[in-house]
Amino acid sequence: MKGVTPALVLASALLGRTALGVEVNVDDDSSLKQAASTVAYGLMKYYTGNNTGDVPGNLPDPYYWWTAGAMFGTMIDYWFLTEDSTYNDATMQAIVHQGAPSKDFMPLNQTRTEGNDDQGFWAMTAMTAAEYKFPNPPSDQPQYLALAQAVFNQYVKRWDDQDCDGGLRWQIFSFNNGYNYKNSISNGCFFNIAARLARYTGNTTYSDWATKVFEWEQKVGLISDTYDVFDGITIESDKTCKGVNQAQWSYNAGIYLHGAANMYNISGDGTWKQRLDGILKETQARFVKEGVLYEEFCELNKVCNNDQEGFKGFLARWLAQTTRLAPYTTGSITPVLKATAKAAGTACSGSPPTGFKGLAGTACGFSWLNNGAFDGIVGVPSQMDGLAAMIAPLAERGRSPFTEKTGGTSKGNPDAGSGEQKDPRALRPIMGADKVGAGFVTLIFVVRTIGGTAFMVT
Ligand SMILES: *[C@@H]1O[C@H](CO)[C@@H](O)[C@H](O)[C@H]1NC(C)=O
Ligand SMILES: *[C@@H]1O[C@H](CO)[C@@H](O)[C@H](O)[C@H]1NC(C)=O
Ligand SMILES: *[C@@H]1O[C@H](CO)[C@@H](O)[C@H](O)[C@H]1NC(C)=O
Ligand SMILES: *[C@@H]1O[C@H](CO)[C@@H](O)[C@H](O)[C@H]1NC(C)=O
């Protein structure tokens, strides 16, 4: 099926629907699909990477490379749940362009500032493509499964037993700010990818690593007894690790929730069920307000940055997939996803004079609180969140992710990514853009770690 054509959407907009936002009946799949198509159209209008002279897989400033990786993951979910293939070519082109040169999502243009989490978001997108049987790239290009395996193998090599008894550092290279920080999102990418590779391939090397990462998070205090997932921990100059940064972000809860659901799915194991239930309970308590998803740490005082604005959309996607992998969670998760989709329909009602090129009256605001009253915060993250919200309820009656045994066709390579990792500074002279990039990294670090605490103080 192809999506609702923009002309059709435009016609309905002209019929006066705009004031209500994107009309959606959350109990009707065709209504959800139509709404999602309108929001997806607005989202892909931000993407210029496939224009002549631009770089496939990149979003224009101010959006980071990892956000683009996450956006294409959202577009794969969109295709899988709606069967609208309008954006598949652009999506495949982006993944191949960013994945092909190094075969591990470490393209030279990005490596100087690339963290384990940045690489992980692209790898999770490739993993999603494998699980959903997204059209495979030509056989002379790296395949989705092999790309995810490459990143897994590199994470294994970067696992650092010297400090904090294990864990991945946030940064890959020592010259980047945040190299002395071990954070839940980087380790969450490792955990999530390992758990999914375990489910997809049946190879226990992956599930052993998933268990090891999860238990390290618990041991070091980044996952608490009540399944709070904290932001990260600093490696002090004496090599001890203390001072857990207790900021909690919805994507950290989501990434561990979804990984745990994969581990539970493989085994039906009671320990994984307990972990899954614990994170789900904590998620419901912390990231749901007025019945809908929200970003507890920064949404109410409107201080979320571009990165943080996208987190709850990932949570929505991971919650939706959790209902497929652990069907017993459906009764608890689906009502939240439906209420969120309904509020998002109202929130996607903006016509800002700038910053949005989709159809008038369909720009998504960021907050879904206040019954989705449009808050004027538009951009890729808000639009991506809106899309994630619209498609999430479709998972209830949707297909389940495939595995090698149930029809997955992506070709793997268990040894991918095992080449030597070179210092990017030696490979390429420092360019103006890199300097700017490094500055951005410092900025994110400040906001993610110190800034988080500052909100609490002020
Ligand atoms: C880029 O992709 C978008 C979305 O698929 C499409 O509408 C547009 O025509 C593409 N542009 C080019 C130059 O191929
Ligand atoms: C790296 O940047 C160059 C110059 O903008 C561009 O031509 C190339 O496609 C980029 N490579 C990747 C993998 O993005
Ligand atoms: C694992 O996922 C499949 C596909 O959705 C589902 O049918 C099965 O019941 C799940 N296994 C468990 C233990 O819930
Ligand atoms: C399982 O995965 C590991 C890690 O990539 C690999 O070394 C091993 O050969 C794999 N085993 C099988 C049976 O494929």
Side-chain angles (χ1 to χ4, degrees):
M1 174 196 130
K2 285 275 179 182
V4 180
T5 63
L8 200 59
V9 180
L10 189 59
S12 53
L14 292 173
L15 292 175
R17 245 176 46 185
T18 54
L20 299 171
V22 177
E23 192 175 283
V24 56
N25 173 354
V26 297
D27 295 310
D28 172 4
D29 284 2
S30 62
S31 168
L32 284 162
K33 289 178 187 181
Q34 181 148 342
S37 138
T38 305
V39 176
Y41 177 78
L43 178 59
M44 286 301 278
K45 280 282 179 190
Y46 287 103
Y47 180 58
T48 54
N50 62 342
N51 292 348
T52 312
D54 209 325
V55 179
N58 280 2
L59 279 165
D61 283 345
Y63 303 109
Y64 298 121
W65 180 71
W66 80 271
T67 301
M71 182 181 86
F72 289 109
T74 309
M75 295 313 295
I76 294 172
D77 277 15
Y78 169 74
W79 160 77
F80 187 67
L81 291 166
T82 66
E83 294 173 71
D84 174 10
S85 56
T86 305
Y87 308 105
N88 283 14
D89 289 348
T91 299
M92 186 199 289
Q93 183 198 33
I95 298 172
V96 168
H97 193 82
Q98 294 303 321
S102 60
K103 303 188 172 57
D104 58 5
F105 294 119
M106 297 272 298
L108 273 184
N109 295 346
Q110 306 298 336
T111 40
R112 267 193 60 83
T113 58
E114 187 169 340
N116 281 306
D117 48 355
D118 303 308
Q119 188 186 20
F121 270 85
W122 278 96
M124 288 188 289
T125 289
M127 193 67 225
T128 302
E131 291 166 337
Y132 289 174
K133 287 207 275 185
F134 191 69
N136 287 314
S139 58
D140 61 344
Q141 299 292 336
Q143 303 297 304
Y144 305 129
L145 179 60
L147 284 166
Q149 286 169 314
V151 175
F152 169 88
N153 287 335
Q154 293 181 355
Y155 284 164
V156 169
K157 278 205 282 184
R158 292 180 200 141
W159 185 260
D160 163 38
D161 280 317
Q162 304 298 307
D163 313 275
C164 324
D165 279 332
L168 279 184
R169 292 164 180 268
W170 176 19
Q171 295 301 327
I172 299 169
F173 297 108
S174 58
F175 51 81
N176 280 324
N177 255 328
Y179 187 68
N180 67 338
Y181 192 62
K182 291 192 171 175
N183 59 354
S184 285
I185 194 61
S186 294
N187 288 283
C189 290
F190 190 4
F191 170 63
N192 187 282
I193 290 164
R196 293 162 72 181
L197 284 172
R199 180 176 179 274
Y200 189 90
T201 66
N203 183 334
T204 53
T205 303
Y206 299 122
S207 41
D208 290 348
W209 270 103
T211 302
K212 182 168 169 162
V213 178
F214 195 93
E215 291 179 354
W216 175 80
E217 281 271 319
Q218 292 180 306
K219 195 171 64 176
V220 80
L222 285 175
I223 296 182
S224 76
D225 292 346
T226 50
Y227 297 96
D228 301 285
V229 186
F230 300 123
D231 188 75
I233 190 164
T234 302
I235 307 164
E236 306 293 338
S237 43
D238 66 0
K239 297 227 161 228
T240 61
C241 294
K242 43 185 186 258
V244 170
N245 173 352
Q246 295 206 335
Q248 292 191 54
W249 303 105
S250 63
Y251 75 157
N252 278 324
I255 205 167
Y256 286 93
L257 175 87
H258 180 239
N262 274 272
M263 293 300 283
Y264 167 75
N265 187 265
I266 295 169
S267 56
D269 176 70
T271 303
W272 283 110
K273 180 172 187 299
Q274 198 184 348
R275 291 166 176 166
L276 170 57
D277 290 344
I279 304 171
L280 181 55
K281 185 165 172 234
E282 177 59 26
T283 300
Q284 295 265 20
R286 185 171 299 278
F287 300 112
V288 177
K289 190 177 170 67
E290 298 172 15
V292 304
L293 297 179
Y294 89 120
E295 194 62 51
E296 185 208 30
F297 209 84
C298 56
E299 183 165 324
L300 295 181
N301 30 6
K302 298 198 180 194
V303 289
C304 303
N305 66 20
N306 268 335
D307 280 348
Q308 296 154 359
E309 277 165 17
F311 294 168
K312 64 184 179 176
F314 310 144
L315 175 59
R317 290 170 55 207
W318 283 317
L319 280 166
Q321 289 313 310
T322 295
T323 67
R324 303 306 316 169
L325 297 161
Y328 78 87
T329 60
T330 305
S332 150
I333 292 177
T334 301
V336 176
L337 296 181
K338 283 187 175 174
T340 297
K342 185 162 185 274
T346 314
C348 293
S349 58
S351 307
T354 59
F356 182 70
K357 296 204 179 78
L359 300 166
T362 71
C364 297
F366 169 56
S367 187
W368 299 320
L369 299 172
N370 284 320
N371 299 315
F374 178 69
D375 65 6
I377 303 175
V378 301
V380 169
S382 294
Q383 200 70 20
M384 184 161 62
D385 288 340
L387 180 57
M390 296 298 177
I391 57 179
L394 292 168
E396 192 184 357
R397 284 171 296 279
R399 295 172 290 168
S400 293
F402 296 97
T403 67
E404 251 162 23
K405 284 215 177 82
T406 62
T409 58
S410 186
K411 241 173 100 54
N413 172 9
D415 300 323
S418 45
E420 208 43 49
Q421 201 78 69
K422 301 220 176 60
D423 182 336
R425 291 172 303 181
L427 297 174
R428 200 165 143 261
I430 298 177
M431 323 262 272
D434 291 328
K435 289 192 187 129
V436 174
F440 281 151
V441 169
T442 314
L443 193 70
I444 313 174
F445 182 69
V446 168
V447 172
R448 273 203 201 160
T449 66
I450 303 163
T453 321
F455 301 151
M456 296 180 111
V457 176
T458 47

